[in-house]
Amino acid sequence: MDAPSTVYIVGAGPGDPELLTLKAARLLKEAEVVVYDRLVSDAILEMVPPQTTRTFAGKAARDHHMPQDEINALLVSLAKGGQKVVRLKGGDPFIFGRGSEEALHLAKHGVPFEIVPGITASAGCGSYAGIPLTHRGLATGVRFVTGHCREGKHLDLNWQSLADPETTLVIYMGLINVSKIRDELINAGLPGDTPAGAIERGTTAEQRTILTTLNDLPACIEKADLKAPSLLIIGRVVQLAEELSWHIPAMDCDLES
């Protein structure tokens, strides 16, 4: 029996195809099969040659087109069939991308793999929205957390640790639980007037950014009708978007209008 082919677990970045790494772009052209997620933009999928097989394995909150165990089994099956496989994931595979789970499954079944990093949403969306994640005098560090919890579980984070005014807090997949996130952070001591922003479809031509405060963040998201994929950024650095927003101007949220 022939040895299985290598599976390339590739980060597609946050949406703008020009943010792909050179290696990622090359592998997309060479792949025989691309197994891709919901967060991979249409512009990036257009780079896949027409003769390449595309398999959608997208997942959204509480709506799994293909369960993770089926994705894992598919990757093993394709590799053992000798096909050159690219597993294409939005952002970076190792930052809330479950790339490590897939790599562990491949390793368990003797399938070789390579990880190709991608620009994670926090870096890409923050940059395109004019929000630096760190800035001298405003933030000495940054924390990445998920705002989504496993089905049937409560969002159980160390809120006391996260409620640090010296730190930028970046929340992936936080729309569903934004009210709970706001309440828990304020209860843990983070001031309600802390600057906050939400970025929808960051780095793309459809990007929308709202600027507000932690206290008003849920209401502003509802008023703007932001949809996934959206990223939440909370911290004093958000105020810099008023001057640094360069891609598509940010919107100030006025709840009284």
Side-chain angles (χ1 to χ4, degrees), residues 96-163:
F96 301 122
R98 302 186 76 167
S100 52
E101 295 178 36
E102 294 171 4
L104 285 169
H105 187 82
L106 293 170
K108 180 180 177 181
H109 289 82
V111 175
F113 61 87
E114 290 187 19
I115 310 297
V116 181
I119 293 178
T120 187
S122 56
C125 298
S127 294
Y128 275 55
I131 302 174
L133 300 183
T134 62
H135 186 84
R136 187 170 56 176
L138 295 179
T140 58
V142 58
R143 296 278 298 274
F144 301 156
V145 299
T146 175
H148 175 62
C149 47
R150 292 187 179 183
E151 194 168 339
K153 302 288 185 180
H154 295 292
L155 186 60
D156 187 19
L157 301 174
N158 186 340
W159 301 106
Q160 206 68 42
S161 172
L162 296 175

Side-chain angles (χ1 to χ4, degrees), residues 9-209:
I9 302 176
V10 176
D16 184 345
E18 291 191 320
L19 296 181
L20 276 176
T21 63
L22 292 173
K23 185 171 185 178
R26 174 178 62 81
L27 289 171
L28 285 181
K29 293 178 181 178
E30 297 174 353
E32 295 175 280
V33 182
V34 174
V35 181
Y36 66 97
D37 278 350
R38 180 182 64 91
L39 294 180
V40 177
S41 70
D42 291 341
I44 289 174
L45 288 176
E46 288 173 1
M47 299 174 66
V48 178
Q51 70 273 16
T52 303
T53 300
R54 303 183 192 185
T55 300
F56 177 60
K59 298 190 291 295
R62 301 170 185 169
D63 180 18
H64 289 196
H65 178 82
M66 184 182 292
Q68 188 63 52
D69 59 348
E70 291 185 18
I71 297 172
N72 294 344
L74 174 64
L75 295 177
V76 171
S77 175
L78 291 171
K80 290 190 172 180
Q83 298 188 76
K84 185 166 184 178
V85 183
V86 166
R87 173 67 172 112
L88 191 61
K89 308 177 78 67
D92 179 88
F94 274 11
I95 300 182
F96 301 122
R98 302 186 76 167
S100 52
E101 295 178 36
E102 294 171 4
L104 285 169
H105 187 82
L106 293 170
K108 180 180 177 181
H109 289 82
V111 175
F113 61 87
E114 290 187 19
I115 310 297
V116 181
I119 293 178
T120 187
S122 56
C125 298
S127 294
Y128 275 55
I131 302 174
L133 300 183
T134 62
H135 186 84
R136 187 170 56 176
L138 295 179
T140 58
V142 58
R143 296 278 298 274
F144 301 156
V145 299
T146 175
H148 175 62
C149 47
R150 292 187 179 183
E151 194 168 339
K153 302 288 185 180
H154 295 292
L155 186 60
D156 187 19
L157 301 174
N158 186 340
W159 301 106
Q160 206 68 42
S161 172
L162 296 175
D164 177 6
E166 302 295 324
T167 298
T168 303
L169 182 59
V170 181
I171 304 171
Y172 290 69
M173 301 167 286
L175 285 188
I176 290 176
N177 291 309
V178 64
S179 293
K180 177 178 175 59
I181 292 166
R182 185 269 313 272
D183 294 344
E184 293 285 2
L185 288 173
I186 290 177
N187 288 340
L190 193 62
D193 61 358
T194 300
I199 309 162
E200 177 188 270
R201 299 188 179 278
T203 79
T204 73
E206 293 78 38
Q207 175 177 311
R208 291 197 296 157
T209 305

